[in-house]
Amino acid sequence: MPQLNSTEVFVSDGQKEKLECHVLVIYVGGTIGMMKNAEGVYAPSSGTMVAKMRSDPKLHDHSYMTKRNEIETAHPYPTLVLPEVHRMRRIVYSVYEYDPLIDSCNVTSSHWDKIATDIYKNYEFYDGFVVLHGTDTLSYTASALSFMLENLGKSVVITGSQIPIYETRTDGSDNFIGSLIIAGNFTIPEVTVFFHNKLMRGNRTIKFSSNTLDAFTSPNAAELVTLGTEIIANYALMNYDEIFCYVNMDKFTIQTRLNENVGLLRIFPNISLHLVKSFLHSEMDGIVLETYGSGNFISNRKDLIVEIKNAVKRGVIVVNCTQCYTGKVHSNYATGQILSSVGVLCGYDMTSEAALTKLSYVLTKNEWSLEKKKEMFCTVLRGEMSTERIKTDKDNINLMDVLGSSLGLSSKREVMELSNTIFPALVTNAVVKEDISQLDTLKSCGANLNAPNYDHRTALHVACCEGSITMINYLLHNGCLLHVKDRNGRTPLAEAVLHDHHEVIKFLRKCGAHFVGCLKYIGEELCSAAAQGLVERLESYYLAGIDLNSPDRSGRTAFHMAVITNNIKVVEYLLSREVAPKVQDRFGQTALENAESLRNTDILKLLSP
């Protein structure tokens, strides 16, 4: 099932508060934030979104923010708090508004570059991201970002609305709140679109209606999550395979500056040779042909076929996509084989938006040969097209169906609930024993290696706790998620830190694992480790990328505590890591002044020039 993100915090009176998650909202523009101008038409309204949100009790919990006023200084953008949602983590969200705001009709690839870059810059500081965007080109942006964000491990949700969020009757509030819930509480490592209570893979969506609130659909792929009276993740109750986990051991990165020499050419009756020639001019690097039915082309127009053939010979990548709402390109008809015979690539069941942006992405890879680019276009990169998989005998094994039948379970939901209870225990047992063959068997029986136990701990949490790089490597290569947090807000990286598995920490860091930024409790953890003389723990935090100068709530650092408790070994270690001994706490005291007042002569010698 989807994995909950969380960060443990405390309110100002010291009482334990509900776990939090932090979301960055990138407000690009669009109808969702528009207001009527002097002419009575909707237009972008800069600088009003955050103020309006603060005054809306559905979008901002003022009383919670008052208790947690330190949140405001923890993020570089205006920060708000979503009112409590039943069974969900408390969502703290920051709003980054573009200046100027961009109408979706005016969006270009340069704007995609900016969105991707802003996500990259803020990636380590937030649990998830929401992009507020106009609806007209939203599917193009979602498709483009799905390719541009490489090795993505967090949720990126794009949404908008058909009616501005400030209107009395609006779909904007539901779309925005639903997007925040998903981006903050679930780790779905994809670029998705949330609209009208449905979460869809971004590169499988199209806008199919200009005037209904249910404006987007995913014609050739199932919805990922549905929000109703309760949140139901389709891949937990029906088909885990619907979530596309990008299997790569590299850190998150981005590809910007997509190739702009691409275009869409819709085939229609009586299309002229002049038009086709003009479109296939020498500056074009890629073309998406929108053909009839299952990829059929005009078979009696030899002149057009010759032009397309010549373009392919010049190195232009030409792709065949269907004009139809659903279905895919195949060669059941002679008219469908014409294009493939002259070197046109099959677009399968990709949307035109996905095919165009994927073509732009592939053509940007200058390190690839032309043949490599064609090969990668025909490869599933981000779940953008369906593939046929050859079934084996193992696919017929359904352990939970057999067990459910023996227990008298009748509904599919009951069987899935049983599966979500038993499989995590079996997977955990295999991980502890480092039994890869058993894990392979469990996978063939339908086990989800990302499935959590009651405490939301996954197999990767357990492997990091055990310190097994072999298991960690196996799980990551099988799509397990780095940034999932358990009930206590701990990621797999945090587990490795708390058990001082230094080699595991280094391995996870190379794969892109990190602590989410602006964590207030880190200072307390460092001070506690210093007071107890836990040099190995301090080294663990250091290897995990934590600043050893991070203060606790009194402004004291680990160095202050090492001096106060007279832990010589800790002081020596911290000095070797070049910490700042002259940092002042909230009382204006430095560690050096603490040593002087306590007359710690041995430490004073270490601190002397």
Side-chain angles (χ1 to χ4, degrees):
M1 59 187 297
Q3 311 306 315
L4 291 169
N5 291 325
S6 57
T7 300
E8 188 171 318
V9 295
F10 295 83
V11 292
S12 56
D13 60 4
Q15 294 180 341
K16 191 172 181 179
E17 183 55 274
K18 189 171 184 178
L19 298 177
E20 291 181 352
C21 51
H22 298 267
V23 177
L24 177 63
V25 177
I26 300 177
Y27 175 31
V28 177
T31 299
I32 192 167
M34 288 185 177
M35 300 183 70
K36 287 187 177 179
N37 61 17
E39 287 74 33
V41 297
Y42 290 123
S45 178
S46 297
T48 61
M49 175 70 88
V50 172
K52 290 283 187 179
M53 287 178 172
R54 286 194 193 281
S55 63
D56 189 338
K58 297 193 304 296
L59 301 178
H60 179 56
D61 188 337
H62 179 73
S63 62
Y64 184 90
M65 186 60 134
T66 301
K67 289 188 294 184
R68 288 284 284 110
N69 55 15
E70 69 270 21
I71 296 174
E72 191 69 49
T73 60
H75 300 277
Y77 311 111
T79 301
L80 300 91
V81 181
L82 196 68
E84 186 173 357
V85 179
H86 179 57
R87 297 177 64 184
M88 293 289 110
R89 303 303 192 236
R90 177 69 79 157
I91 297 172
V92 179
Y93 65 99
S94 303
V95 182
Y96 172 30
E97 179 177 315
Y98 280 7
D99 185 18
L101 294 171
I102 305 159
D103 190 292
S104 65
C105 293
N106 300 325
V107 165
T108 66
S109 61
S110 64
H111 299 119
W112 299 338
D113 287 353
K114 178 170 174 54
I115 297 170
T117 301
D118 289 332
I119 291 174
Y120 179 78
K121 288 179 179 178
N122 292 281
Y123 190 72
E124 295 194 4
F125 297 96
Y126 296 91
D127 293 301
F129 300 85
V130 170
V131 179
L132 299 181
H133 194 285
T135 60
D136 286 343
T137 57
L138 189 149
S139 288
Y140 285 97
T141 297
S143 296
L145 289 177
S146 74
F147 299 112
M148 298 169 74
L149 304 179
E150 299 178 332
N151 311 320
L152 181 64
K154 299 182 180 182
S155 299
V156 176
V157 185
I158 306 179
T159 193
S161 68
Q162 296 286 70
I163 304 173
I165 199 170
Y166 314 129
E167 298 284 343
T168 302
R169 177 178 173 271
T170 176
D171 59 329
S173 295
D174 287 344
N175 289 345
F176 180 53
I177 293 171
S179 297
L180 286 173
I181 290 171
I182 290 170
N185 282 279
F186 295 90
T187 301
I188 300 176
E190 296 192 42
V191 176
T192 56
V193 170
F194 183 80
F195 224 87
H196 200 64
N197 296 319
K198 300 178 298 185
L199 185 75
M200 300 158 280
R201 180 169 300 135
N203 55 38
R204 304 304 292 266
T205 62
I206 61 171
K207 183 179 180 181
F208 76 102
S209 175
S210 63
N211 61 347
T212 66
L213 300 185
D214 188 11
F216 286 83
T217 189
S218 179
N220 292 312
E223 297 159 8
L224 303 181
V225 174
T226 301
L227 296 191
T229 55
E230 61 177 331
I231 297 176
I232 298 174
N234 284 353
Y235 74 113
L237 299 180
M238 288 182 281
N239 188 3
Y240 165 70
D241 291 336
E242 293 303 327
I243 297 297
F244 185 82
C245 294
Y246 188 75
V247 179
N248 196 303
M249 305 293 281
D250 295 328
K251 291 184 178 181
F252 171 69
T253 186
I254 58 174
Q255 172 67 61
T256 57
R257 299 180 182 178
L258 298 185
N259 189 305
E260 296 180 351
N261 296 326
V262 296
L264 289 168
L265 178 59
R266 187 179 180 91
I267 303 302
F268 58 88
N270 295 327
I271 187 171
S272 69
L273 176 62
H274 174 72
L275 174 60
V276 174
K277 278 186 174 181
S278 299
F279 204 81
L280 296 174
H281 62 80
S282 58
E283 292 183 4
M284 298 298 285
D285 296 323
I287 302 290
V288 176
L289 294 178
E290 293 183 322
T291 58
Y292 305 133
S294 57
N296 300 320
F297 191 72
I298 310 169
S299 61
N300 60 357
R301 291 292 303 275
K302 305 298 183 184
D303 53 343
L304 302 183
I305 297 170
V306 168
E307 287 299 323
I308 294 172
K309 183 177 181 180
N310 290 337
V312 172
K313 286 183 177 180
R314 293 197 305 270
V316 179
I317 298 180
V318 184
V319 179
N320 182 10
C321 285
T322 177
Q323 298 176 11
C324 294
Y325 180 71
T326 61
K328 64 180 181 179
V329 171
H330 56 76
S331 55
N332 286 352
Y333 297 91
T335 49
Q337 293 181 336
I338 295 171
L339 294 179
S340 60
S341 68
V342 298
V344 175
L345 303 182
C346 179
Y348 302 97
D349 62 349
M350 278 188 284
T351 64
S352 296
E353 294 91 332
L356 183 72
T357 53
K358 182 179 183 179
L359 194 53
S360 298
Y361 170 77
V362 168
L363 287 166
T364 303
K365 298 292 187 178
N366 295 326
E367 65 273 22
W368 293 348
S369 66
L370 178 60
E371 290 306 312
K372 178 69 172 179
K373 291 175 181 177
K374 291 181 179 180
E375 176 190 344
M376 296 307 294
F377 183 88
C378 295
T379 302
V380 180
L381 300 179
R382 307 288 191 273
E384 68 281 358
M385 59 187 181
S386 304
T387 56
E388 298 293 336
R389 187 171 67 89
I390 300 175
K391 291 188 176 182
T392 67
D393 291 338
K394 288 185 178 181
D395 292 311
N396 297 320
I397 301 173
N398 196 320
L399 180 61
M400 289 302 111
D401 282 345
V402 175
L403 186 55
S405 177
S406 67
L407 294 174
L409 303 181
S410 56
S411 71
K412 186 170 184 178
R413 178 161 188 157
E414 288 177 323
V415 173
M416 287 307 301
E417 287 175 350
L418 177 67
S419 172
N420 291 335
T421 301
I422 293 179
F423 271 139
L426 296 176
V427 169
T428 296
N429 181 63
V431 168
V432 171
K433 295 191 301 183
E434 297 192 4
D435 192 337
I436 290 178
S437 63
Q438 186 176 352
L439 288 173
D440 287 334
T441 300
L442 289 170
K443 278 179 56 186
S444 70
C445 293
N448 171 9
L449 299 185
N450 269 316
N453 64 11
Y454 178 79
D455 286 325
H456 301 150
R457 287 168 59 80
T458 66
L460 190 57
H461 281 92
V462 175
C464 291
C465 178
E466 294 293 315
S468 174
I469 291 181
T470 300
M471 282 292 96
I472 294 169
N473 186 64
Y474 172 88
L475 293 170
L476 291 177
H477 273 105
N478 281 274
C480 287
L481 305 176
L482 272 177
H483 305 293
V484 176
K485 296 183 180 180
D486 67 12
R487 185 179 295 275
N488 296 311
R490 294 173 183 166
T491 62
L493 175 62
E495 285 295 334
V497 168
L498 292 177
H499 291 84
D500 298 322
H501 295 312
H502 292 174
E503 293 305 313
V504 170
I505 295 170
K506 294 175 185 177
F507 182 78
L508 293 174
R509 289 285 289 165
K510 288 181 180 178
C511 297
H514 57 263
F515 281 90
V516 175
C518 303
L519 296 179
K520 291 290 182 180
Y521 72 86
I522 286 293
E524 274 82 2
E525 296 290 338
L526 294 176
C527 288
S528 175
Q532 297 177 68
L534 303 179
V535 173
E536 288 293 297
R537 181 63 44 79
L538 292 170
E539 176 69 1
S540 295
Y541 276 113
Y542 176 79
L543 293 174
I546 294 298
D547 182 1
L548 296 181
N549 289 306
S550 300
D552 65 7
R553 292 177 184 272
S554 67
R556 288 175 174 171
T557 66
F559 204 96
H560 282 93
M561 294 305 299
V563 170
I564 292 171
T565 56
N566 198 28
N567 272 305
I568 302 295
K569 290 184 179 180
V570 176
V571 171
E572 291 175 337
Y573 166 77
L574 292 173
L575 287 173
S576 72
R577 289 304 185 190
E578 299 182 352
V579 298
K582 295 184 179 181
V583 173
Q584 292 184 337
D585 61 18
R586 288 187 178 180
F587 308 102
Q589 295 290 306
T590 66
L592 178 60
E593 290 170 334
N594 290 149
E596 291 173 344
S597 62
L598 293 171
R599 298 179 181 179
N600 292 338
T601 55
D602 292 335
I603 291 177
L604 287 172
K605 289 179 182 179
L606 290 173
L607 296 179
S608 63

